[in-house]
Amino acid sequence: MANKVHTAGVHHVKASTHYKREHKADYGRERICILYEDADIIVIEKPSGLLSVPYPGSKARTALDLLEKLMRGRGDWSRSHRPFTVHRLDRDTSGVMVFALNEAAQKKLMARWHDGTTRKVYRAVAENPSGGRAADLPDSGTIDEPLAENAYHVAYVPRSSNRDGGHDRDVGRDRDVGRDRDVVRDRNVGRRGGQPQTVRAVTHYRIVMRGPTHTLFELELDTGKKNQIRAHLSFLGRPLAGDENYRARTDPFHRLALHARVLEFLHPVTGKKLSFEVPEDAFWLEYVEQGDARPAAPVWKQERQDRRRREEGLPASVPAAHRRVSAKEKAHGSYIALGRQGR
């Protein structure tokens, strides 16, 4: 998903992007790690913050660009032997990706991508719903809900998908997820006959760890639709931590808490089954287990609050890093938590 949104002729850069430009040490200089390479494919670990492939009008660096630059530097790039796109990861998603190195390999990999021979496993940290309803969700289940796109090309589950026999009954969807989630879906495009156009999307999940404020999920996809995991978990009232698009309330890692951990597929030429695994940061599990009762406000929430204050003629709020801790907070707060939040 691109960080830049164009609406009514106005150019907007997300608050989280502003933050990363100022604080992310490798912003604009992210590097890829090659996990495997032969004459037909190359498998990489993509970092969070790096686009997978270009999109129209973008001049940002991409994993595809870096691979082409690498091959040109080695002298083995040609029109017939170069990186070919097989699939994509969202910009803020990290993890394992595969590129073909010739057109024939690309066609075979893409033909098999959704036929059951390819396995894609993700890990994600999601926020628990309010009101102590985290335990309402079974330890494992399937989210079979169609996706539509709003005017900002962000995927969401339409209200009309809450059908009898659907996943609401199967996995206990949180029915009180608040108005923030509605912001994602209300400005829809691509309507037909008054209803949004949708595509089928199926996500299987398993809960790895339930924490007091967040949950660590493992997820597998039957379909690979844009924003699928993010939209499906948001539909359950459990947006991913660090997800500005889906109005997350927390941003503990200053990035989207979604990682493509495992990729298994058949080699396009030899037919051999290949499997690659890159674990997510160990801190994710520690964070979920410990919980975060007093999270710092995400930068996009601060931006919205400041915008409202300016509209009301009030001064901007004081950033958490510079706010003095009150006597009540000192008496009742956790000094470790306060220190982690920079107060």
Side-chain angles (χ1 to χ4, degrees):
M1 171 81 192
N3 280 320
K4 299 178 181 179
V5 178
H6 298 269
T7 116
V10 177
H11 174 69
H12 174 67
V13 179
K14 295 197 301 185
S16 55
T17 301
H18 278 302
Y19 181 90
K20 290 168 187 173
R21 284 177 178 173
E22 296 178 3
H23 300 282
K24 190 169 182 282
D26 65 344
Y27 182 84
R29 300 186 302 275
E30 295 90 353
R31 304 180 66 178
I32 59 175
C33 176
I34 296 177
L35 305 177
Y36 175 85
E37 181 179 6
D38 62 25
D40 301 291
I41 62 171
I42 185 166
V43 181
I44 68 166
E45 178 188 358
K46 186 190 83 68
S48 174
L50 179 68
L51 285 170
S52 300
V53 297
Y55 64 91
S58 172
K59 296 181 180 179
R61 295 163 75 249
T62 69
L64 183 67
D65 294 335
L66 295 182
L67 285 175
E68 290 209 349
K69 183 178 180 180
L70 172 68
M71 294 181 68
R72 288 178 185 273
R74 297 187 314 200
D76 59 353
W77 184 97
S78 69
R79 292 294 301 172
S80 60
H81 183 71
R82 57 187 173 90
F84 288 80
T85 302
V86 175
H87 65 121
R88 294 170 173 79
L89 293 178
D90 287 348
R91 181 175 196 161
D92 292 329
T93 302
S94 57
V96 186
M97 289 190 69
V98 60
F99 288 83
L101 291 180
N102 55 69
E103 193 169 359
Q106 179 195 38
K107 290 179 178 179
K108 288 184 180 180
L109 283 171
M110 294 184 71
R112 295 172 177 169
W113 202 249
H114 300 300
D115 68 355
T117 61
T118 301
R119 181 171 178 244
K120 304 172 286 291
V121 181
Y122 294 76
R123 288 285 178 95
V125 175
E127 297 173 352
N128 292 342
S130 58
R133 293 186 296 275
D136 291 351
L137 195 68
D139 290 339
S140 61
T142 297
I143 310 168
D144 185 355
E145 295 290 346
L147 299 180
E149 281 193 8
N150 68 11
Y152 297 93
H153 306 292
V154 177
Y156 70 97
V157 176
R159 291 186 181 93
S160 58
S161 73
N162 303 342
R163 55 193 183 278
D164 292 338
H167 116 112
D168 275 3
R169 182 179 63 190
D170 294 338
V171 300
R173 175 192 167 215
D174 177 13
R175 299 182 182 277
D176 183 24
V177 298
R179 64 184 180 183
D180 278 345
R181 199 194 69 193
D182 291 338
V183 175
V184 175
R185 62 187 176 187
D186 281 344
R187 293 185 289 274
N188 179 258
V189 293
R191 289 183 177 270
R192 178 179 299 169
Q195 296 297 322
Q197 296 183 30
T198 62
V199 294
R200 185 169 185 247
V202 180
T203 304
H204 307 286
Y205 76 87
R206 178 178 71 85
I207 293 177
V208 178
M209 167 68 70
R210 295 182 192 263
T213 60
H214 293 75
T215 297
L216 179 61
F217 284 89
E218 183 168 280
L219 308 112
E220 294 194 42
L221 307 181
D222 277 1
T223 56
K225 304 305 180 183
K226 178 182 177 182
N227 303 150
Q228 178 173 322
I229 289 173
R230 300 162 69 179
H232 271 170
L233 288 182
S234 177
F235 173 71
L236 296 182
R238 293 163 169 81
L240 299 188
D243 199 341
E244 179 177 0
N245 285 348
Y246 291 87
R247 299 298 193 266
R249 304 183 305 274
T250 60
D251 186 21
F253 316 126
H254 300 299
R255 56 155 293 185
L256 178 70
L258 181 60
H259 178 74
R261 178 176 175 130
V262 176
L263 180 61
E264 295 180 354
F265 57 94
L266 300 181
H267 192 283
V269 176
T270 67
K272 180 182 178 181
K273 183 177 180 180
L274 301 177
S275 180
F276 302 92
E277 179 170 2
V278 176
E280 70 279 4
D281 193 320
F283 179 64
W284 288 17
L285 181 61
E286 297 171 6
Y287 176 82
V288 169
E289 187 173 17
Q290 179 179 347
D292 194 356
R294 295 175 51 82
V299 290
W300 56 87
K301 186 175 181 180
Q302 295 175 7
E303 183 185 67
R304 291 200 302 271
Q305 292 172 344
D306 288 345
R307 188 185 308 120
R308 287 194 293 267
R309 292 179 67 87
R310 287 193 298 269
E311 291 172 352
E312 297 170 1
L314 300 173
S317 59
V318 179
H322 302 292
R323 185 172 65 82
R324 295 184 63 184
V325 180
S326 69
K328 184 177 180 180
E329 287 174 323
K330 288 181 180 179
H332 300 285
S334 163
Y335 285 100
I336 295 177
L338 291 173
R340 187 177 69 248
Q341 295 169 30
R343 296 178 180 176

